[in-house]
Amino acid sequence: MKMYNFNSGPSILPEEVYAQAADAIHNFNNTGLSILEIGHRTSWFEEVLHEAQANVKSLMQIDDSYEVLYLHGGATTQFMQVPMNLLDTNAQAAYCDNGIWGKKAIEEAGYFGKVAVAASSKDKGHTYINKTLNVPDDAVYLHYTTNNTVEGTQWHHIPDVSMPLIADMSSDIFCRPMDFSKFSLIYAGAQKNMGAAGVTLTVVKKDLLGKINRPIPPIMDYRKHIEAGALLNTPPVFAVYVSMLTLRWIIANGGLAAMEQRAKERADLLYNTLDSLPLFKPTVAKEDRSLMNAVFILENGELEKQFLDECKKNGMIGVKGHRSVGGLRISMYNALPLSSVQAVCDLLKDFANRKG
Ligand code: PMP
């Protein structure tokens, strides 16, 4: 039985993507070799990498002042690599504190320089986005998380600041059109909206680099990756390939405008259903609700357990909230069909009728 996949990441991928990836494991582009067997310095892989990079640039509508890198180590490594490359020991950077991933980024930056918290939503358990920013004039950049995967909040506008803007877009990249040229650095783990686990996208404006005094180990230095044509060491070949296929799928399916329309349809259906059922309580301020991760609770813990059991029986996985916040969470990434949301809404209504 095919499952309804509401996982928060790694998560659902388009069927065409994993079907093609499966073919490539047996015979990559009629080479007689598996994609798992080809060298990263072959023209075969270079073509894959260059198409992935070009797809990123075309979706973001950014020019050659930016470089597209596929790196190891997850978004978590970017928490450390960003300040290592950009924040001098005596300088300060501003960070938004809107959830557990932003907090981790703040902690990592503290190893390299000073951190000013520009805004925090901690006072209400991160159930909203605090948009009133207090950014010191001398902050070398502002960092924020566009979508808080765990808490289910999302920024619906780009903060307007004078210093370079840096964003962790791990859980909502390519879910909507936005002016990506407002950012100096963007990073995202691939495993939600743009591929399988194992690779992280970093898009960086080249003129941001080389401005600090700290010596940087080459493998952590964005400039060394750029100089090496994004092939400083062996990249995760298969993960880059799956990401290239996923980006190709986004483009073939109408690009970011279509992704946004689909995301809004899914989110409207789910949030309207939840709002109509008093048994279920969405936790996030309406204006800050995420298009990607809907977080809600059932006040009765026993009923919550029963609901999760029913999800399981109906082939719905990934509905349990993150261990740090509990409750329930339904993730609705780019590849999730509306019919999956319809199925869980039917169960929500049926459950509320029986137990409400
Ligand atoms: N940032 C955000 C917004 C995330 O959702 C996650 C993972 N779920 C991370 C960072 C960490 O990513 P990784 O596990 O790839 O290091």
Side-chain angles (χ1 to χ4, degrees), residues 277-312:
L277 302 170
L279 190 67
F280 298 100
K281 309 225 178 302
T283 52
V284 168
K286 275 193 181 167
E287 64 173 21
D288 300 324
R289 284 174 172 177
S290 166
L291 294 172
M292 299 284 104
N293 315 95
V295 175
F296 57 102
I297 55 168
L298 269 159
E299 270 161 1
N300 176 327
E302 179 48 36
L303 281 184
E304 199 165 279
K305 207 178 140 298
Q306 285 178 22
F307 181 71
L308 281 171
D309 284 345
E310 293 202 17
C311 285
K312 210 169 161 191

PDB file of all heavy atoms in Angstrom, residues 277-312:
ATOM      1  N   LEU A 277     -13.276  22.482  13.314  1.00  0.00           N
ATOM      2  CA  LEU A 277     -13.462  21.368  14.268  1.00  0.00           C
ATOM      3  C   LEU A 277     -12.917  21.765  15.643  1.00  0.00           C
ATOM      4  O   LEU A 277     -11.697  21.764  15.840  1.00  0.00           O
ATOM      5  CB  LEU A 277     -12.721  20.120  13.761  1.00  0.00           C
ATOM      6  CG  LEU A 277     -13.116  19.605  12.373  1.00  0.00           C
ATOM      7  CD1 LEU A 277     -12.141  18.535  11.891  1.00  0.00           C
ATOM      8  CD2 LEU A 277     -14.544  19.055  12.384  1.00  0.00           C
ATOM      9  N   PRO A 278     -13.782  22.098  16.589  1.00  0.00           N
ATOM     10  CA  PRO A 278     -13.294  22.580  17.890  1.00  0.00           C
ATOM     11  C   PRO A 278     -12.406  21.577  18.633  1.00  0.00           C
ATOM     12  O   PRO A 278     -11.611  21.973  19.484  1.00  0.00           O
ATOM     13  CB  PRO A 278     -14.590  22.816  18.693  1.00  0.00           C
ATOM     14  CG  PRO A 278     -15.682  22.875  17.686  1.00  0.00           C
ATOM     15  CD  PRO A 278     -15.245  22.106  16.487  1.00  0.00           C
ATOM     16  N   LEU A 279     -12.502  20.311  18.275  1.00  0.00           N
ATOM     17  CA  LEU A 279     -11.674  19.307  18.956  1.00  0.00           C
ATOM     18  C   LEU A 279     -10.175  19.545  18.724  1.00  0.00           C
ATOM     19  O   LEU A 279      -9.352  19.299  19.604  1.00  0.00           O
ATOM     20  CB  LEU A 279     -12.055  17.901  18.434  1.00  0.00           C
ATOM     21  CG  LEU A 279     -11.475  16.713  19.173  1.00  0.00           C
ATOM     22  CD1 LEU A 279     -12.037  16.615  20.585  1.00  0.00           C
ATOM     23  CD2 LEU A 279     -11.778  15.418  18.402  1.00  0.00           C
ATOM     24  N   PHE A 280      -9.842  20.024  17.518  1.00  0.00           N
ATOM     25  CA  PHE A 280      -8.435  20.239  17.154  1.00  0.00           C
ATOM     26  C   PHE A 280      -8.072  21.714  17.285  1.00  0.00           C
ATOM     27  O   PHE A 280      -8.844  22.576  16.865  1.00  0.00           O
ATOM     28  CB  PHE A 280      -8.198  19.778  15.708  1.00  0.00           C
ATOM     29  CG  PHE A 280      -8.456  18.319  15.505  1.00  0.00           C
ATOM     30  CD1 PHE A 280      -9.655  17.875  14.953  1.00  0.00           C
ATOM     31  CD2 PHE A 280      -7.511  17.372  15.887  1.00  0.00           C
ATOM     32  CE1 PHE A 280      -9.899  16.519  14.772  1.00  0.00           C
ATOM     33  CE2 PHE A 280      -7.749  16.016  15.709  1.00  0.00           C
ATOM     34  CZ  PHE A 280      -8.953  15.591  15.151  1.00  0.00           C
ATOM     35  N   LYS A 281      -6.900  21.967  17.851  1.00  0.00           N
ATOM     36  CA  LYS A 281      -6.514  23.360  18.088  1.00  0.00           C
ATOM     37  C   LYS A 281      -5.184  23.681  17.401  1.00  0.00           C
ATOM     38  O   LYS A 281      -4.118  23.292  17.894  1.00  0.00           O
ATOM     39  CB  LYS A 281      -6.366  23.626  19.584  1.00  0.00           C
ATOM     40  CG  LYS A 281      -7.567  23.185  20.404  1.00  0.00           C
ATOM     41  CD  LYS A 281      -7.987  24.224  21.427  1.00  0.00           C
ATOM     42  CE  LYS A 281      -9.216  23.803  22.202  1.00  0.00           C
ATOM     43  NZ  LYS A 281     -10.406  23.515  21.408  1.00  0.00           N
ATOM     44  N   PRO A 282      -5.226  24.389  16.263  1.00  0.00           N
ATOM     45  CA  PRO A 282      -3.966  24.847  15.665  1.00  0.00           C
ATOM     46  C   PRO A 282      -3.254  25.784  16.643  1.00  0.00           C
ATOM     47  O   PRO A 282      -3.919  26.583  17.321  1.00  0.00           O
ATOM     48  CB  PRO A 282      -4.416  25.602  14.409  1.00  0.00           C
ATOM     49  CG  PRO A 282      -5.813  25.137  14.145  1.00  0.00           C
ATOM     50  CD  PRO A 282      -6.398  24.804  15.484  1.00  0.00           C
ATOM     51  N   THR A 283      -1.940  25.679  16.748  1.00  0.00           N
ATOM     52  CA  THR A 283      -1.231  26.418  17.804  1.00  0.00           C
ATOM     53  C   THR A 283      -0.685  27.773  17.339  1.00  0.00           C
ATOM     54  O   THR A 283      -0.296  28.585  18.167  1.00  0.00           O
ATOM     55  CB  THR A 283      -0.039  25.583  18.320  1.00  0.00           C
ATOM     56  OG1 THR A 283       0.732  25.173  17.191  1.00  0.00           O
ATOM     57  CG2 THR A 283      -0.491  24.352  19.078  1.00  0.00           C
ATOM     58  N   VAL A 284      -0.642  27.997  16.026  1.00  0.00           N
ATOM     59  CA  VAL A 284       0.095  29.154  15.501  1.00  0.00           C
ATOM     60  C   VAL A 284      -0.837  30.327  15.181  1.00  0.00           C
ATOM     61  O   VAL A 284      -1.962  30.129  14.707  1.00  0.00           O
ATOM     62  CB  VAL A 284       0.879  28.708  14.231  1.00  0.00           C
ATOM     63  CG1 VAL A 284       1.415  29.890  13.462  1.00  0.00           C
ATOM     64  CG2 VAL A 284       2.005  27.765  14.619  1.00  0.00           C
ATOM     65  N   ALA A 285      -0.355  31.550  15.432  1.00  0.00           N
ATOM     66  CA  ALA A 285      -1.105  32.760  15.062  1.00  0.00           C
ATOM     67  C   ALA A 285      -1.455  32.697  13.575  1.00  0.00           C
ATOM     68  O   ALA A 285      -0.589  32.382  12.753  1.00  0.00           O
ATOM     69  CB  ALA A 285      -0.253  33.995  15.337  1.00  0.00           C
ATOM     70  N   LYS A 286      -2.736  32.989  13.247  1.00  0.00           N
ATOM     71  CA  LYS A 286      -3.203  32.758  11.869  1.00  0.00           C
ATOM     72  C   LYS A 286      -2.304  33.366  10.803  1.00  0.00           C
ATOM     73  O   LYS A 286      -1.989  32.744   9.802  1.00  0.00           O
ATOM     74  CB  LYS A 286      -4.634  33.277  11.704  1.00  0.00           C
ATOM     75  CG  LYS A 286      -5.654  32.253  12.131  1.00  0.00           C
ATOM     76  CD  LYS A 286      -7.054  32.619  11.674  1.00  0.00           C
ATOM     77  CE  LYS A 286      -7.996  31.521  12.188  1.00  0.00           C
ATOM     78  NZ  LYS A 286      -9.396  31.844  12.102  1.00  0.00           N
ATOM     79  N   GLU A 287      -1.880  34.609  11.027  1.00  0.00           N
ATOM     80  CA  GLU A 287      -1.118  35.301   9.965  1.00  0.00           C
ATOM     81  C   GLU A 287       0.270  34.702   9.751  1.00  0.00           C
ATOM     82  O   GLU A 287       0.914  34.977   8.733  1.00  0.00           O
ATOM     83  CB  GLU A 287      -1.000  36.794  10.275  1.00  0.00           C
ATOM     84  CG  GLU A 287      -0.205  37.077  11.542  1.00  0.00           C
ATOM     85  CD  GLU A 287       0.035  38.571  11.739  1.00  0.00           C
ATOM     86  OE1 GLU A 287      -0.714  39.365  11.162  1.00  0.00           O
ATOM     87  OE2 GLU A 287       0.971  38.913  12.477  1.00  0.00           O
ATOM     88  N   ASP A 288       0.724  33.901  10.703  1.00  0.00           N
ATOM     89  CA  ASP A 288       2.077  33.340  10.596  1.00  0.00           C
ATOM     90  C   ASP A 288       2.086  31.833  10.304  1.00  0.00           C
ATOM     91  O   ASP A 288       3.124  31.180  10.390  1.00  0.00           O
ATOM     92  CB  ASP A 288       2.854  33.601  11.900  1.00  0.00           C
ATOM     93  CG  ASP A 288       2.980  35.079  12.200  1.00  0.00           C
ATOM     94  OD1 ASP A 288       3.133  35.866  11.240  1.00  0.00           O
ATOM     95  OD2 ASP A 288       2.902  35.457  13.387  1.00  0.00           O
ATOM     96  N   ARG A 289       0.925  31.291   9.997  1.00  0.00           N
ATOM     97  CA  ARG A 289       0.857  29.849   9.745  1.00  0.00           C
ATOM     98  C   ARG A 289       1.713  29.451   8.543  1.00  0.00           C
ATOM     99  O   ARG A 289       1.720  30.141   7.530  1.00  0.00           O
ATOM    100  CB  ARG A 289      -0.590  29.439   9.464  1.00  0.00           C
ATOM    101  CG  ARG A 289      -1.436  29.378  10.717  1.00  0.00           C
ATOM    102  CD  ARG A 289      -2.881  29.122  10.344  1.00  0.00           C
ATOM    103  NE  ARG A 289      -3.695  28.869  11.519  1.00  0.00           N
ATOM    104  CZ  ARG A 289      -5.002  28.676  11.461  1.00  0.00           C
ATOM    105  NH1 ARG A 289      -5.644  28.705  10.291  1.00  0.00           N
ATOM    106  NH2 ARG A 289      -5.674  28.441  12.564  1.00  0.00           N
ATOM    107  N   SER A 290       2.358  28.307   8.691  1.00  0.00           N
ATOM    108  CA  SER A 290       3.229  27.816   7.635  1.00  0.00           C
ATOM    109  C   SER A 290       2.432  27.098   6.547  1.00  0.00           C
ATOM    110  O   SER A 290       1.501  26.354   6.841  1.00  0.00           O
ATOM    111  CB  SER A 290       4.249  26.851   8.243  1.00  0.00           C
ATOM    112  OG  SER A 290       4.889  26.113   7.242  1.00  0.00           O
ATOM    113  N   LEU A 291       2.839  27.327   5.295  1.00  0.00           N
ATOM    114  CA  LEU A 291       2.244  26.571   4.179  1.00  0.00           C
ATOM    115  C   LEU A 291       2.782  25.147   4.152  1.00  0.00           C
ATOM    116  O   LEU A 291       2.227  24.285   3.482  1.00  0.00           O
ATOM    117  CB  LEU A 291       2.594  27.235   2.841  1.00  0.00           C
ATOM    118  CG  LEU A 291       2.034  28.621   2.554  1.00  0.00           C
ATOM    119  CD1 LEU A 291       2.661  29.185   1.285  1.00  0.00           C
ATOM    120  CD2 LEU A 291       0.522  28.550   2.412  1.00  0.00           C
ATOM    121  N   MET A 292       3.861  24.913   4.854  1.00  0.00           N
ATOM    122  CA  MET A 292       4.546  23.619   4.765  1.00  0.00           C
ATOM    123  C   MET A 292       4.262  22.696   5.946  1.00  0.00           C
ATOM    124  O   MET A 292       4.132  21.494   5.779  1.00  0.00           O
ATOM    125  CB  MET A 292       6.076  23.844   4.676  1.00  0.00           C
ATOM    126  CG  MET A 292       6.532  24.642   3.478  1.00  0.00           C
ATOM    127  SD  MET A 292       6.521  23.686   1.945  1.00  0.00           S
ATOM    128  CE  MET A 292       5.063  24.310   1.127  1.00  0.00           C
ATOM    129  N   ASN A 293       4.227  23.250   7.168  1.00  0.00           N
ATOM    130  CA  ASN A 293       4.080  22.412   8.363  1.00  0.00           C
ATOM    131  C   ASN A 293       2.945  22.961   9.229  1.00  0.00           C
ATOM    132  O   ASN A 293       3.060  24.059   9.759  1.00  0.00           O
ATOM    133  CB  ASN A 293       5.364  22.394   9.208  1.00  0.00           C
ATOM    134  CG  ASN A 293       6.614  22.219   8.371  1.00  0.00           C
ATOM    135  OD1 ASN A 293       7.259  23.195   7.995  1.00  0.00           O
ATOM    136  ND2 ASN A 293       6.961  21.002   8.055  1.00  0.00           N
ATOM    137  N   ALA A 294       1.862  22.206   9.332  1.00  0.00           N
ATOM    138  CA  ALA A 294       0.732  22.634  10.164  1.00  0.00           C
ATOM    139  C   ALA A 294       0.823  21.933  11.512  1.00  0.00           C
ATOM    140  O   ALA A 294       0.866  20.701  11.576  1.00  0.00           O
ATOM    141  CB  ALA A 294      -0.581  22.287   9.474  1.00  0.00           C
ATOM    142  N   VAL A 295       0.886  22.738  12.581  1.00  0.00           N
ATOM    143  CA  VAL A 295       1.027  22.180  13.930  1.00  0.00           C
ATOM    144  C   VAL A 295      -0.271  22.413  14.695  1.00  0.00           C
ATOM    145  O   VAL A 295      -0.831  23.509  14.650  1.00  0.00           O
ATOM    146  CB  VAL A 295       2.230  22.840  14.655  1.00  0.00           C
ATOM    147  CG1 VAL A 295       2.326  22.366  16.094  1.00  0.00           C
ATOM    148  CG2 VAL A 295       3.522  22.531  13.914  1.00  0.00           C
ATOM    149  N   PHE A 296      -0.759  21.379  15.357  1.00  0.00           N
ATOM    150  CA  PHE A 296      -2.005  21.499  16.124  1.00  0.00           C
ATOM    151  C   PHE A 296      -2.008  20.492  17.262  1.00  0.00           C
ATOM    152  O   PHE A 296      -1.186  19.579  17.288  1.00  0.00           O
ATOM    153  CB  PHE A 296      -3.234  21.333  15.216  1.00  0.00           C
ATOM    154  CG  PHE A 296      -3.287  20.046  14.440  1.00  0.00           C
ATOM    155  CD1 PHE A 296      -4.116  19.006  14.844  1.00  0.00           C
ATOM    156  CD2 PHE A 296      -2.526  19.873  13.294  1.00  0.00           C
ATOM    157  CE1 PHE A 296      -4.169  17.808  14.126  1.00  0.00           C
ATOM    158  CE2 PHE A 296      -2.570  18.681  12.570  1.00  0.00           C
ATOM    159  CZ  PHE A 296      -3.394  17.655  12.990  1.00  0.00           C
ATOM    160  N   ILE A 297      -2.916  20.697  18.189  1.00  0.00           N
ATOM    161  CA  ILE A 297      -2.985  19.776  19.337  1.00  0.00           C
ATOM    162  C   ILE A 297      -4.424  19.294  19.550  1.00  0.00           C
ATOM    163  O   ILE A 297      -5.381  19.875  19.027  1.00  0.00           O
ATOM    164  CB  ILE A 297      -2.479  20.443  20.641  1.00  0.00           C
ATOM    165  CG1 ILE A 297      -3.243  21.743  20.916  1.00  0.00           C
ATOM    166  CG2 ILE A 297      -1.000  20.706  20.607  1.00  0.00           C
ATOM    167  CD1 ILE A 297      -3.011  22.312  22.297  1.00  0.00           C
ATOM    168  N   LEU A 298      -4.512  18.246  20.310  1.00  0.00           N
ATOM    169  CA  LEU A 298      -5.788  17.800  20.868  1.00  0.00           C
ATOM    170  C   LEU A 298      -5.585  17.960  22.368  1.00  0.00           C
ATOM    171  O   LEU A 298      -4.597  17.467  22.907  1.00  0.00           O
ATOM    172  CB  LEU A 298      -5.998  16.318  20.557  1.00  0.00           C
ATOM    173  CG  LEU A 298      -6.736  15.973  19.278  1.00  0.00           C
ATOM    174  CD1 LEU A 298      -6.407  14.552  18.862  1.00  0.00           C
ATOM    175  CD2 LEU A 298      -8.225  16.098  19.506  1.00  0.00           C
ATOM    176  N   GLU A 299      -6.471  18.674  23.041  1.00  0.00           N
ATOM    177  CA  GLU A 299      -6.170  18.961  24.449  1.00  0.00           C
ATOM    178  C   GLU A 299      -6.127  17.698  25.306  1.00  0.00           C
ATOM    179  O   GLU A 299      -5.452  17.643  26.326  1.00  0.00           O
ATOM    180  CB  GLU A 299      -7.157  19.989  24.998  1.00  0.00           C
ATOM    181  CG  GLU A 299      -6.581  21.385  24.762  1.00  0.00           C
ATOM    182  CD  GLU A 299      -7.587  22.499  24.831  1.00  0.00           C
ATOM    183  OE1 GLU A 299      -8.777  22.214  25.093  1.00  0.00           O
ATOM    184  OE2 GLU A 299      -7.198  23.655  24.600  1.00  0.00           O
ATOM    185  N   ASN A 300      -6.856  16.679  24.868  1.00  0.00           N
ATOM    186  CA  ASN A 300      -6.889  15.428  25.616  1.00  0.00           C
ATOM    187  C   ASN A 300      -5.802  14.483  25.062  1.00  0.00           C
ATOM    188  O   ASN A 300      -5.860  14.054  23.899  1.00  0.00           O
ATOM    189  CB  ASN A 300      -8.307  14.841  25.433  1.00  0.00           C
ATOM    190  CG  ASN A 300      -8.465  13.488  26.071  1.00  0.00           C
ATOM    191  OD1 ASN A 300      -7.536  12.701  26.117  1.00  0.00           O
ATOM    192  ND2 ASN A 300      -9.672  13.230  26.555  1.00  0.00           N
ATOM    193  N   GLY A 301      -4.822  14.204  25.908  1.00  0.00           N
ATOM    194  CA  GLY A 301      -3.668  13.395  25.483  1.00  0.00           C
ATOM    195  C   GLY A 301      -4.070  12.002  25.019  1.00  0.00           C
ATOM    196  O   GLY A 301      -3.472  11.458  24.075  1.00  0.00           O
ATOM    197  N   GLU A 302      -5.078  11.422  25.670  1.00  0.00           N
ATOM    198  CA  GLU A 302      -5.529  10.071  25.291  1.00  0.00           C
ATOM    199  C   GLU A 302      -6.115  10.094  23.869  1.00  0.00           C
ATOM    200  O   GLU A 302      -5.840   9.219  23.035  1.00  0.00           O
ATOM    201  CB  GLU A 302      -6.559   9.572  26.330  1.00  0.00           C
ATOM    202  CG  GLU A 302      -7.141   8.186  26.079  1.00  0.00           C
ATOM    203  CD  GLU A 302      -6.089   7.095  25.766  1.00  0.00           C
ATOM    204  OE1 GLU A 302      -4.970   7.127  26.338  1.00  0.00           O
ATOM    205  OE2 GLU A 302      -6.407   6.232  24.931  1.00  0.00           O
ATOM    206  N   LEU A 303      -6.917  11.148  23.599  1.00  0.00           N
ATOM    207  CA  LEU A 303      -7.507  11.274  22.253  1.00  0.00           C
ATOM    208  C   LEU A 303      -6.411  11.482  21.200  1.00  0.00           C
ATOM    209  O   LEU A 303      -6.502  10.979  20.079  1.00  0.00           O
ATOM    210  CB  LEU A 303      -8.486  12.453  22.195  1.00  0.00           C
ATOM    211  CG  LEU A 303      -9.881  12.236  22.784  1.00  0.00           C
ATOM    212  CD1 LEU A 303     -10.742  13.476  22.540  1.00  0.00           C
ATOM    213  CD2 LEU A 303     -10.567  11.002  22.189  1.00  0.00           C
ATOM    214  N   GLU A 304      -5.385  12.225  21.588  1.00  0.00           N
ATOM    215  CA  GLU A 304      -4.281  12.471  20.652  1.00  0.00           C
ATOM    216  C   GLU A 304      -3.635  11.140  20.247  1.00  0.00           C
ATOM    217  O   GLU A 304      -3.357  10.897  19.075  1.00  0.00           O
ATOM    218  CB  GLU A 304      -3.254  13.382  21.326  1.00  0.00           C
ATOM    219  CG  GLU A 304      -2.340  14.069  20.349  1.00  0.00           C
ATOM    220  CD  GLU A 304      -1.590  15.218  21.004  1.00  0.00           C
ATOM    221  OE1 GLU A 304      -2.173  16.305  21.139  1.00  0.00           O
ATOM    222  OE2 GLU A 304      -0.440  15.009  21.385  1.00  0.00           O
ATOM    223  N   LYS A 305      -3.467  10.305  21.241  1.00  0.00           N
ATOM    224  CA  LYS A 305      -2.875   8.983  20.980  1.00  0.00           C
ATOM    225  C   LYS A 305      -3.788   8.169  20.055  1.00  0.00           C
ATOM    226  O   LYS A 305      -3.336   7.540  19.099  1.00  0.00           O
ATOM    227  CB  LYS A 305      -2.673   8.263  22.328  1.00  0.00           C
ATOM    228  CG  LYS A 305      -1.559   7.267  22.312  1.00  0.00           C
ATOM    229  CD  LYS A 305      -1.385   6.633  23.678  1.00  0.00           C
ATOM    230  CE  LYS A 305      -1.100   5.150  23.580  1.00  0.00           C
ATOM    231  NZ  LYS A 305      -2.132   4.311  22.963  1.00  0.00           N
ATOM    232  N   GLN A 306      -5.091   8.230  20.358  1.00  0.00           N
ATOM    233  CA  GLN A 306      -6.058   7.487  19.516  1.00  0.00           C
ATOM    234  C   GLN A 306      -6.025   8.000  18.074  1.00  0.00           C
ATOM    235  O   GLN A 306      -6.093   7.227  17.125  1.00  0.00           O
ATOM    236  CB  GLN A 306      -7.478   7.647  20.066  1.00  0.00           C
ATOM    237  CG  GLN A 306      -7.752   6.826  21.310  1.00  0.00           C
ATOM    238  CD  GLN A 306      -9.177   7.074  21.824  1.00  0.00           C
ATOM    239  OE1 GLN A 306     -10.064   7.498  21.095  1.00  0.00           O
ATOM    240  NE2 GLN A 306      -9.375   6.828  23.111  1.00  0.00           N
ATOM    241  N   PHE A 307      -5.942   9.326  17.931  1.00  0.00           N
ATOM    242  CA  PHE A 307      -5.919   9.891  16.577  1.00  0.00           C
ATOM    243  C   PHE A 307      -4.671   9.405  15.819  1.00  0.00           C
ATOM    244  O   PHE A 307      -4.759   9.009  14.647  1.00  0.00           O
ATOM    245  CB  PHE A 307      -5.971  11.424  16.615  1.00  0.00           C
ATOM    246  CG  PHE A 307      -5.983  12.028  15.240  1.00  0.00           C
ATOM    247  CD1 PHE A 307      -7.110  11.919  14.423  1.00  0.00           C
ATOM    248  CD2 PHE A 307      -4.865  12.679  14.728  1.00  0.00           C
ATOM    249  CE1 PHE A 307      -7.109  12.448  13.129  1.00  0.00           C
ATOM    250  CE2 PHE A 307      -4.867  13.211  13.439  1.00  0.00           C
ATOM    251  CZ  PHE A 307      -5.990  13.093  12.647  1.00  0.00           C
ATOM    252  N   LEU A 308      -3.548   9.410  16.500  1.00  0.00           N
ATOM    253  CA  LEU A 308      -2.316   8.943  15.852  1.00  0.00           C
ATOM    254  C   LEU A 308      -2.438   7.473  15.451  1.00  0.00           C
ATOM    255  O   LEU A 308      -1.988   7.068  14.369  1.00  0.00           O
ATOM    256  CB  LEU A 308      -1.114   9.135  16.788  1.00  0.00           C
ATOM    257  CG  LEU A 308      -0.582  10.563  16.850  1.00  0.00           C
ATOM    258  CD1 LEU A 308       0.457  10.710  17.959  1.00  0.00           C
ATOM    259  CD2 LEU A 308       0.032  10.990  15.512  1.00  0.00           C
ATOM    260  N   ASP A 309      -3.081   6.671  16.316  1.00  0.00           N
ATOM    261  CA  ASP A 309      -3.288   5.250  15.977  1.00  0.00           C
ATOM    262  C   ASP A 309      -4.142   5.129  14.716  1.00  0.00           C
ATOM    263  O   ASP A 309      -3.880   4.300  13.850  1.00  0.00           O
ATOM    264  CB  ASP A 309      -4.000   4.518  17.129  1.00  0.00           C
ATOM    265  CG  ASP A 309      -3.042   4.237  18.275  1.00  0.00           C
ATOM    266  OD1 ASP A 309      -1.820   4.343  18.038  1.00  0.00           O
ATOM    267  OD2 ASP A 309      -3.511   3.943  19.380  1.00  0.00           O
ATOM    268  N   GLU A 310      -5.169   5.974  14.633  1.00  0.00           N
ATOM    269  CA  GLU A 310      -6.056   5.909  13.453  1.00  0.00           C
ATOM    270  C   GLU A 310      -5.322   6.350  12.189  1.00  0.00           C
ATOM    271  O   GLU A 310      -5.536   5.810  11.108  1.00  0.00           O
ATOM    272  CB  GLU A 310      -7.328   6.739  13.679  1.00  0.00           C
ATOM    273  CG  GLU A 310      -8.194   6.132  14.773  1.00  0.00           C
ATOM    274  CD  GLU A 310      -9.655   6.555  14.708  1.00  0.00           C
ATOM    275  OE1 GLU A 310     -10.101   7.057  13.652  1.00  0.00           O
ATOM    276  OE2 GLU A 310     -10.345   6.381  15.730  1.00  0.00           O
ATOM    277  N   CYS A 311      -4.445   7.338  12.338  1.00  0.00           N
ATOM    278  CA  CYS A 311      -3.637   7.756  11.187  1.00  0.00           C
ATOM    279  C   CYS A 311      -2.832   6.564  10.681  1.00  0.00           C
ATOM    280  O   CYS A 311      -2.784   6.276   9.483  1.00  0.00           O
ATOM    281  CB  CYS A 311      -2.671   8.884  11.567  1.00  0.00           C
ATOM    282  SG  CYS A 311      -3.481  10.473  11.753  1.00  0.00           S
ATOM    283  N   LYS A 312      -2.208   5.888  11.637  1.00  0.00           N
ATOM    284  CA  LYS A 312      -1.361   4.742  11.294  1.00  0.00           C
ATOM    285  C   LYS A 312      -2.168   3.677  10.550  1.00  0.00           C
ATOM    286  O   LYS A 312      -1.749   3.177   9.500  1.00  0.00           O
ATOM    287  CB  LYS A 312      -0.784   4.166  12.591  1.00  0.00           C
ATOM    288  CG  LYS A 312       0.556   3.533  12.430  1.00  0.00           C
ATOM    289  CD  LYS A 312       1.147   3.250  13.788  1.00  0.00           C
ATOM    290  CE  LYS A 312       2.248   2.214  13.678  1.00  0.00           C
ATOM    291  NZ  LYS A 312       2.678   1.726  14.966  1.00  0.00           N
TER     292      LYS A 312
END
